Amino acid sequence: MESKLVIYNTLTRQKERFEPINAPHVGMYVCGPTVYGDPHLGHARPAITFDLLFRYLRHLGYKVRYVRNITDVGHLEHDADEGEDKIAKKARLEQVEPMEIAQYYTNRYHQAMEALGVLPPSIEPHATGHIIEQQQLVKQILDHGFAYESNGSVYFDIEAYNKQYHYGILSGRTLENIKDESRELAGVGEKKNPADFALWKKAQPEHIMRWPSPWSDGFPGWHCECTAMGRKYLGETFDIHGGGMDLVFPHHECEIAQAVASMGHQAVKYWMHNNMITINGQKMGKSLGNFITLEQFFTGSHEKLEKAYSPMTIRFFILSAHYRGTVDFSNEALQAAEKGLQKLMQAIGDLERITAADRCDAETERVVKQLREKCYDAMNDDLATPQVISHLFEACSVVNKLIDHKGTICADCLQELKDTMRLFAIDILGLREEKGNSSDAREEAYGKVVDMVLSLRAKARAEKDWATCDKIRDELKEAGFEVKDTKDGVTWRLNR
C-alpha cells in the first residue's frame, strides 16, 4: 500500500511520508485524560485531532489499533514525582473511594467525547489495571542499570542513561539544562540527581492508592503507564504516539528513555503533538478565571460565555486551525465557527433539493471535478484541515448558485458533489447536523409550515391573486425566510 500521507514527526522535526511498520496494520497510542475533574478544552483538542487521524487512516484502508489510556493513578498534584495524587486528593475531600472519582469523571469524559463526535478507541486501558506491567517495566530498567532504589522508591538514573544514549532527543533539551531546571524546582532529596524521575513511589501512610511491590507498598510513576500499556497492546515497536504539546517534556521524553532503557531501542516511529489552546489570548487556568469546562461551553453557564456553543461548533472551530497551530477561543471566534458550520451543513442539506440538468455550466464542472483531489491533497499534507474546509466552502458557493438557479449541474457531477462533500465533511472531519435539540425540532417544524404556506401561495398564484402572493412572500421574509421565484420554480431558505 503506497501512502501519500505526510505527517510532521516531532522527533525528527520535519514532515515525513507515513510508512507503517507492518502495513496495512497501524498501531497508534494517544495519551488520554487524568480523570479527576470535568473534561475541558484541553481534553477536546487532542481527542479531536487524533480522532481525525484515526478516521483518515481507516478511510485510506489501514487497519488501525487505536489505544487511548485513562490515567487513574500516579498523577501527582505538584509535579510528576511529588505531592498528593490528584484523584486520591479529590476522593479524600469528597469522602469517597478513589475509584468512584475515577469512574465518575471517566463517564463524564466519554459523554463529552461522544457529543464532540469523537469515535471510541480500539482499546482504552486504565493505569490501575496494569500495575503488574508497570512493575515489570521498572524491573527491566533496574536490571539494565538505568534505575536505582532509594528508601522504597525507584528512580530513573538519567545520568547513567545519558552516558549510553541521549536523554532529550524529543524536546531538544540537554542534560545540564534539565538538571538545572529540576534543581530550581526542588531539592535532590532521595534522588541522586534532581532530574531523575520516579518509576515507583513508596506510599506515605496517608496515601490511599497503593499496591505491593518488591520495593515497597506504593504506586507507579506517572510516566510508566504509557510505556507499559503501549508495549502491551501495540508491541515493542509501533507507528504513532500522540498527545498535546505540553506532554513533549517531561512525559514523552521520559517515555522514550524508559522504552530504550528497558528494550534497548525506541518503541515509536512517529511522534505527533497538537498545539495548545488559549482563551482570549491567555493560557487557560482556574486562577485566571477562564477555566471553562466542555459542559459549560455546551450550556453557556460561564460568565465569560455570551451564549451556549454546541459540541459541533467546538469541533468545527478546532478543525478550522491546523493541529500544530495555536487556537485562541473567544466568543467572536466561536460565533464565526458557528456560522461556518451552519453554512457547510446547510449546503450539504441543500444538495438534496437540486435537480440535475443535462449538462454542467463551466464553473460548476471545474469546482466539482477538482474538489475531491484538492481535499485529498490537503489531508495528505499533514492533515491540513483549514484548507479542506476552504475547499468545501468553495463547493458551498456552487451549491448556493445552483439553489438560486444561476447554474446547472449534470447528474454525474451532482452525485460526485454529494459524495465528496459528505465524505470530507462528515466521514473524515466528523461533523454532523446536530439533531434532537429543541432548536432543531423547531427548524424542522418551520420547514413544514413554510412548505404548507408556499403551497397556498402557489394556489393564489395560479388564480392570479398577486396581492396574496406578494403578502405571503413579504411576511415570510419578515419572519426570516427568503423566498425566490425562478423560471424553474420557487426556492426558500431560512436566514440564520
Side-chain angles (χ1 to χ4, degrees), residues 45-334:
R45 193 169 194 195
I48 290 170
T49 295
F50 292 100
D51 178 67
L52 171 75
L53 180 59
F54 183 35
R55 288 170 178 267
Y56 191 55
L57 289 173
R58 294 204 307 181
H59 167 70
L60 293 177
Y62 293 109
K63 300 179 184 298
V64 185
R65 178 176 290 176
Y66 175 19
V67 180
R68 186 186 66 206
N69 70 295
I70 295 290
T71 297
D72 53 4
V73 68
H75 202 258
L76 305 187
E77 187 180 13
H78 300 310
D79 59 39
D81 295 337
E82 302 297 333
E84 190 172 2
D85 186 286
K86 293 181 178 182
I87 294 172
K89 180 181 179 181
K90 190 98 172 177
R92 178 175 55 78
L93 292 174
E94 297 187 15
Q95 297 184 326
V96 297
E97 282 291 326
M99 285 299 100
E100 288 184 67
I101 296 294
Q103 188 64 58
Y104 175 79
Y105 288 111
T106 298
N107 293 344
R108 298 278 286 175
Y109 176 76
H110 287 157
Q111 290 163 6
M113 293 304 105
E114 184 177 2
L116 289 168
V118 173
L119 299 175
S122 313
I123 303 172
E124 190 176 59
H126 292 230
T128 52
H130 297 79
I131 300 299
I132 292 174
E133 289 83 356
Q134 293 176 78
Q135 289 182 354
Q136 289 172 339
L137 173 69
V138 175
K139 289 176 184 176
Q140 287 178 323
I141 297 172
L142 276 168
D143 290 344
H144 295 166
F146 297 115
Y148 57 91
E149 184 180 351
S150 178
N151 298 324
S153 294
V154 180
Y155 294 96
F156 190 92
D157 192 333
I158 286 182
E159 200 159 285
Y161 176 84
N162 202 59
K163 287 178 182 177
Q164 187 169 341
Y165 301 103
H166 175 202
Y167 184 83
I169 59 173
L170 187 66
S171 62
R173 303 186 184 206
T174 67
L175 181 58
E176 288 308 312
N177 291 151
I178 295 165
K179 287 165 70 174
D180 289 343
E181 289 172 10
S182 300
R183 193 173 289 111
E184 289 175 8
L185 292 171
V188 174
E190 60 189 20
K191 304 178 184 180
K192 289 182 180 179
N193 291 299
D196 293 346
F197 58 89
L199 299 172
W200 185 265
K201 284 288 289 183
K202 179 181 180 180
Q204 298 304 311
E206 66 276 9
H207 200 96
I208 306 172
M209 303 174 79
R210 59 174 68 213
W211 290 264
S213 80
W215 316 289
S216 64
D217 280 4
F219 53 93
W222 170 40
H223 309 306
C224 286
E225 60 179 282
C226 294
T227 305
M229 294 189 293
R231 185 167 66 182
K232 178 179 177 66
Y233 294 111
L234 298 175
E236 289 197 353
T237 56
F238 57 92
D239 298 295
I240 299 169
H241 196 321
M245 195 170 286
D246 57 322
L247 297 178
V248 170
F249 185 87
H251 186 49
H252 289 164
E253 195 75 78
C254 294
E255 279 196 59
I256 290 176
Q258 290 171 160
V260 174
S262 62
M263 299 185 297
H265 60 81
Q266 290 196 44
V268 180
K269 186 174 181 180
Y270 304 97
W271 287 88
M272 296 181 67
H273 295 88
N274 62 272
N275 212 323
M276 306 303 293
I277 290 175
T278 57
I279 297 181
N280 295 319
Q282 291 181 309
K283 185 178 179 181
M284 186 172 64
K286 292 182 179 178
S287 61
L288 297 173
N290 65 358
F291 186 87
I292 308 176
T293 67
L294 290 173
E295 179 70 19
Q296 288 171 324
F297 271 101
F298 300 161
T299 60
S301 57
H302 190 283
E303 60 182 11
K304 290 191 177 292
L305 298 176
E306 293 178 3
K307 54 177 288 188
Y309 298 101
S310 73
M312 282 299 108
T313 297
I314 299 292
R315 185 179 181 102
F316 184 84
F317 182 73
I318 287 175
L319 293 172
S320 296
H322 191 271
Y323 78 91
R324 289 193 290 114
T326 56
V327 171
D328 185 51
F329 279 80
S330 66
N331 282 283
E332 295 77 15
L334 285 169

Side-chain angles (χ1 to χ4, degrees), residues 457-476:
R457 183 173 181 267
K459 182 180 179 182
R461 190 169 185 169
E463 295 171 353
K464 300 186 187 234
D465 183 356
W466 308 121
T468 299
C469 286
D470 292 344
K471 186 173 187 299
I472 290 174
R473 182 194 61 207
D474 293 343
E475 289 190 2
L476 283 172

Side-chain angles (χ1 to χ4, degrees), residues 322-354:
H322 191 271
Y323 78 91
R324 289 193 290 114
T326 56
V327 171
D328 185 51
F329 279 80
S330 66
N331 282 283
E332 295 77 15
L334 285 169
Q335 287 164 24
E338 186 175 58
K339 290 179 181 177
L341 174 64
Q342 290 171 347
K343 174 183 176 181
L344 179 56
M345 301 314 293
Q346 172 95 45
I348 291 173
D350 283 347
L351 280 168
E352 301 304 321
R353 298 167 51 203
I354 293 172

